[in-house]
Amino acid sequence: MDNGYTSLQSSNAYVEAFRESMPLMVAGVLLYLYYNRRINIIDTLLCAFATEAYTMIAIGPTFTATFFIGIFFFIEQLHQLLTGRQYIRKEYLFLLLLPLLSHISVFLITQLYKDPFYYPGGKLLAFCTKPIYFYVKTYLPLFAIGAKIVQDRNQLSFDKFITTIKKIAGISCVVATIQIAVQLVFRNIALGELLGLQSRYMLEQINGPLGLRVQAFFSEPKIFSAFLSLAIPLFAKDRNYKMVAVTLVVGILTASQTFWINILAGAFLFSTFKKFNSVRVKMLGTLGMIVGIFLIVAASKEYFLKHYMENRNQPIYQLLFERSAYRYDNEIWQKNNIIMGIPLQRDMELPIVDFLKDEPYLLLSGYGAGNSTFIPPNYFFGQLSYKNRVDGVGGHNLNMRWFFILAEFGAVSLLFFFLILTKTTPNTPAFQRNYFAFVGVCFFFSQIDLFLIIVALLSAYENEATNENEYEQNTEYTMGH
């Protein structure tokens, strides 16, 4: 059955069988190590996240090791909740209800005011039930992961998180180097796919002078680049400039524009806003500076495009600027994709922005979790996914995650997500605050939900866990005397 993702499958049946069996194997190994106390919950989650190149694409691209681990923890947390061994804090109970409130709002809008959606084959029932599917498959497992982190907070720390990130970054850079060497020597698509590459990122004519975009074992080059950008400040903090240089070079080889944006954000935040105490001020201030840079570039795009065209045959320009030029050049597409100076991806964010421009009332409620399938296909006209949109096959995921929350859940929900997920304690160290703000800024441009949840919960509860341990030690000392 065509699920809309067959183009992402390998043409080699044996390679595809290997890739589709890996998620369950990786999930099983990581859960075994976790429950035998060989690794902690953060190690488990980050290692799974770093292997999402392998997915059960025959079912869907989100059926990765992270998905299966999330489902396992969801079942475990649900059992503990039903047996009275777990409870939900008030602020998180509200987060748990936000998707439901959004869905009710969208349903009332379509019934009482206006229905702007498209139902292929008259699938009105699917429109009503899709948010439930999204809620159970995606939202509740993420919520359970957060609950599990809070539950294990006595064994966790920000320093341990940093150590894990640096280890995975080092290993991933080695894997990326192997991917480059193997592909340059053997030029074999099947071998590259076994090593985690996708065939579309090994096409010489569209992937720069090397003919590939590295991704290590991550799901996409842009996700790998986001991870590397999050690792660079940690290496810089340790004055490990050798690894800073290595991660920079490998990040460039992902050919992802997200990498450069995140690096720019880090430079602004750690230099200009590092002395501010509020994580929210750091985040909003940095985002403001990024938008300002984008506006300047957009205003001067004709000059930059002319300069690029004069030098486009040089390898360094192909490597660093080709994808940026493509984003800003509207001569072929004849459609403005620049919002606040930011060149949106024409097949990802732009159709959603155009839809919300035409239906601005949905900015309050969102269009409903998982309901991107029902956005009229004319907004995707000219894109490779257009036929799937007409047929109602597949979904639509946004890389810009704060915008994703706005589009799916609405502005009201976005405000509460922002306020709850950016809390810190008075004792949170300065570097941790800066890094937390950096992750929050990168979350605007990158699909790093897991990182934001981990860092947010460590920042909100790490000192609480320390205080609890000190209280228990003091109690034991008092009782002993």
Side-chain angles (χ1 to χ4, degrees):
M1 182 181 293
D2 186 0
N3 62 0
Y5 303 109
T6 52
S7 62
L8 302 179
Q9 292 179 305
S10 173
S11 58
N12 187 307
Y14 296 104
V15 171
E16 188 58 32
F18 171 79
R19 296 201 310 175
E20 302 222 9
S21 66
M22 284 296 287
L24 279 175
M25 293 176 59
V26 172
V29 169
L30 290 175
L31 287 172
Y32 172 81
L33 293 173
Y34 168 71
Y35 282 102
N36 280 275
R37 301 189 178 185
R38 302 285 297 277
I39 57 177
N40 61 42
I41 180 66
I42 291 178
D43 297 334
T44 304
L45 294 170
L46 294 181
C47 288
F49 180 81
T51 63
E52 289 186 349
Y54 302 108
T55 177
M56 290 184 172
I57 201 69
I59 305 174
T62 58
F63 286 80
T64 61
T66 307
F67 166 78
F68 290 113
I69 288 173
I71 289 294
F72 187 91
F73 286 146
F74 166 57
I75 295 172
E76 180 196 61
Q77 292 296 303
L78 179 63
H79 177 262
Q80 292 186 7
L81 185 66
L82 294 176
T83 55
R85 292 183 292 160
Q86 177 67 291
Y87 69 95
I88 302 174
R89 301 188 183 216
K90 291 181 180 178
E91 64 268 30
Y92 297 125
L93 178 61
F94 187 65
L95 281 186
L96 195 62
L97 295 175
L98 280 177
L100 173 63
L101 297 176
S102 172
H103 182 44
I104 292 173
S105 299
V106 173
F107 180 78
L108 291 176
I109 288 172
T110 58
Q111 297 301 309
L112 302 177
Y113 175 63
K114 182 181 179 182
D115 188 352
F117 296 101
Y118 165 77
Y119 308 105
K123 296 179 180 178
L124 181 59
L125 179 62
F127 175 79
C128 297
T129 57
K130 190 67 179 282
I132 299 174
Y133 173 74
F134 173 90
Y135 191 67
V136 174
K137 173 180 172 288
T138 303
Y139 193 78
L140 285 181
L142 270 178
F143 200 88
I145 284 171
K148 189 69 177 174
I149 292 172
V150 174
Q151 195 175 56
D152 287 5
R153 63 188 182 277
N154 291 329
Q155 290 82 45
L156 306 175
S157 71
F158 186 69
D159 289 337
K160 291 180 180 178
F161 165 77
I162 288 177
T163 300
T164 302
I165 292 290
K166 291 189 294 186
K167 285 181 179 177
I168 294 176
I171 294 171
S172 297
C173 286
V174 172
V175 172
T177 303
I178 294 172
Q179 289 176 336
I180 294 171
V182 168
Q183 192 59 22
L184 291 179
V185 172
F186 296 101
R187 300 286 182 180
N188 187 293
I189 297 293
L191 184 56
E193 289 175 329
L194 283 174
L195 291 173
L197 291 169
Q198 297 179 38
S199 57
R200 56 180 169 159
Y201 298 127
M202 292 184 282
L203 301 176
E204 293 185 32
Q205 61 271 29
I206 63 173
N207 289 315
L210 289 180
L212 79 158
R213 296 175 61 191
V214 295
Q215 65 184 89
F217 293 142
F218 287 79
S219 60
E220 296 270 355
K222 56 193 170 190
I223 303 296
F224 182 33
S225 74
F227 176 84
L228 292 176
S229 65
L230 293 176
I232 286 174
L234 305 180
F235 287 123
K237 178 178 179 290
D238 293 341
R239 300 180 184 272
N240 188 348
Y241 300 119
K242 178 180 177 181
M243 281 306 301
V244 169
V246 169
T247 48
L248 275 172
V249 170
V250 176
I252 291 170
L253 295 177
T254 64
S256 171
Q257 302 310 295
T258 301
F259 180 72
W260 292 113
I261 297 172
N262 289 354
I263 294 298
L264 186 63
F268 285 149
L269 194 149
F270 285 98
S271 62
T272 307
F273 295 97
K274 66 178 181 179
K275 293 184 179 180
F276 287 83
N277 195 46
S278 170
V279 168
R280 293 163 186 163
V281 170
K282 295 173 188 287
M283 288 174 55
L284 295 176
T286 303
L287 281 172
M289 293 185 72
I290 293 293
V291 170
I293 294 295
F294 270 119
L295 288 172
I296 293 172
V297 173
S300 310
K301 72 170 187 174
E302 299 301 329
Y303 167 78
F304 289 120
L305 287 174
K306 180 181 178 181
H307 180 72
Y308 167 75
M309 293 300 293
E310 292 172 352
N311 299 275
R312 62 179 176 174
N313 293 324
Q314 297 182 27
I316 189 67
Y317 278 81
Q318 292 176 353
L319 183 64
L320 298 181
F321 304 117
E322 184 175 40
R323 293 177 61 80
S324 296
Y326 169 80
R327 289 280 188 90
Y328 278 102
D329 187 5
N330 290 319
E331 183 176 346
I332 297 176
W333 298 96
Q334 298 293 315
K335 191 173 185 180
N336 183 26
N337 66 321
I338 300 176
I339 305 295
M340 294 192 302
I342 302 174
L344 302 179
Q345 293 189 72
R346 297 178 179 89
D347 62 337
M348 296 289 288
E349 285 81 18
L350 183 60
I352 307 302
V353 169
D354 289 341
F355 175 67
L356 292 175
K357 278 184 179 178
D358 292 339
E359 315 294 341
Y361 53 89
L362 289 177
L363 286 170
L364 288 177
S365 64
Y367 49 66
N371 278 343
S372 61
T373 305
F374 306 101
I375 292 175
N378 59 285
Y379 291 99
F380 298 86
F381 183 77
Q383 301 301 323
L384 294 176
S385 62
Y386 175 70
K387 184 178 183 303
N388 286 338
R389 305 298 309 188
V390 174
D391 297 337
V393 176
H396 195 69
N397 204 12
L398 300 173
N399 292 321
M400 301 175 69
R401 301 308 277 179
W402 288 118
F403 177 62
F404 171 81
I405 294 173
L406 172 66
E408 299 256 336
F409 304 123
V412 176
S413 296
L414 174 63
L415 176 62
F416 284 106
F417 272 102
F418 179 77
L419 293 176
I420 293 173
L421 292 177
T422 54
K423 290 195 310 180
T424 56
T425 65
N427 297 324
T428 303
F431 178 81
Q432 187 169 340
R433 287 176 180 271
N434 289 329
Y435 190 79
F436 186 8
F438 179 51
V439 172
V441 173
C442 293
F443 186 69
F444 184 84
F445 301 101
S446 309
Q447 192 173 334
I448 52 170
D449 311 51
L450 199 58
F451 287 83
L452 182 63
I453 290 172
I454 291 172
V455 177
L457 293 176
L458 285 177
S459 299
Y461 294 109
E462 182 178 357
N463 290 294
E464 176 184 304
T466 302
N467 293 336
E468 287 178 358
N469 288 337
E470 291 176 352
Y471 173 79
E472 290 174 1
Q473 291 172 3
N474 291 335
T475 302
E476 290 175 1
Y477 177 83
T478 303
M479 292 178 65
H481 287 73

